[in-house]
Amino acid sequence: MKKQWLALALLGALTSGAAFAQQAADGPWLVRARAVHLDSVNKDSTGLGLSINDKVLPEVDITYFFSPNLAAELILTVPQKQKIRADGLGQIGTLRHLPPALLAQYHFTHWSGFKPYVGAGVNYTRFSSVRFDPAVQAALSPSIDKSSWGGALQVGVDIPLAKNLYLNFDVKKVFIKTDVFAAGNPVGTFKINPVLAGVGLGWRF
């Protein structure tokens, strides 16, 4: 029995060593470029029925592998311009938001032909260039909190296409919200909480 356990331990060490050698051969870095569709949940407690528009946006992420299974991913884009709408009023203004996120990932390595992963982490969103229509500004003097911290969840898969080149499919749920004020007084919270579905290419080095 001891010999069997020793053989199993040796086999596990060899397998782990081979996997890490493959990962090292691939390199610890993975850079992806994606086209992402932003689908906002749009819930608020102001009574105004606030929403922002859905859109397709560019995304770049940088992943570092600490081991064949464990990695960290930094997700980046450029500031995105969005339309602000209210029920019964249509568009009432615009804003820009920049929502980088940092996630810890677990990559499954025992499937051949594709490499699924899951991730969880934190998102920071910065709102800027917030502008309201003159009539809305005159009537309500509205403003919003410019910063948002929230969680981020992720599931995706990398499919090998060629040496070091991968096709990537990725879905994230990001929790973004901001407090809304009228003449400096709080009137509620606007939750965007988008689902981000993306497709792109990755390069491992």
Side-chain angles (χ1 to χ4, degrees):
M1 181 64 70
K2 290 183 178 180
K3 290 183 178 180
Q4 291 175 337
W5 280 109
L6 182 61
L8 287 173
L10 181 59
L11 178 62
L14 290 173
T15 303
S16 175
F20 188 79
Q22 177 63 40
Q23 185 267 337
D26 289 339
W29 296 96
L30 176 60
V31 176
R32 304 185 189 89
R34 301 187 185 107
V36 175
H37 182 263
L38 182 150
D39 184 7
S40 300
V41 171
N42 292 325
K43 292 183 178 180
D44 78 283
S45 58
T46 67
L48 298 173
L50 298 174
S51 65
I52 64 170
N53 59 296
D54 299 336
K55 67 182 302 183
V56 175
L57 55 95
E59 183 181 279
V60 173
D61 72 78
I62 303 169
T63 302
Y64 182 81
F65 285 81
F66 301 99
S67 74
N69 300 107
L70 299 178
E73 180 176 283
L74 177 63
I75 299 169
L76 302 169
T77 186
V78 295
Q80 297 298 313
K81 186 175 182 178
Q82 305 279 167
K83 299 173 183 177
I84 308 171
R85 297 189 177 101
D87 286 349
L89 297 175
Q91 183 176 336
I92 62 170
T94 60
L95 59 76
R96 292 183 182 273
H97 68 98
L98 182 64
L102 180 64
L103 297 97
Q105 295 177 328
Y106 184 85
H107 291 253
F108 300 90
T109 57
H110 55 275
W111 280 288
S112 61
F114 63 100
K115 300 180 179 182
Y117 58 88
V118 294
V122 63
N123 160 264
Y124 172 73
T125 297
R126 178 68 180 174
F127 298 101
S128 63
S129 301
V130 182
R131 296 183 175 89
F132 292 94
D133 289 350
V136 174
Q137 187 68 44
L140 300 174
S141 297
S143 62
I144 64 172
D145 189 352
K146 296 294 183 67
S147 296
S148 170
W149 289 93
L153 302 174
Q154 177 187 48
V155 60
V157 62
D158 290 308
I159 303 171
L161 296 178
K163 181 177 174 60
N164 300 331
L165 182 65
Y166 295 88
L167 175 65
N168 175 258
F169 296 96
D170 182 272
V171 178
K172 291 181 286 294
K173 174 69 173 181
V174 182
F175 296 89
I176 301 173
K177 67 179 181 180
T178 182
D179 293 324
V180 181
F181 303 86
N185 299 309
V187 294
T189 300
F190 175 35
K191 295 181 179 181
I192 301 171
N193 295 351
V195 174
L196 301 164
V199 60
L201 292 174
W203 180 258
R204 185 80 177 263
F205 60 95

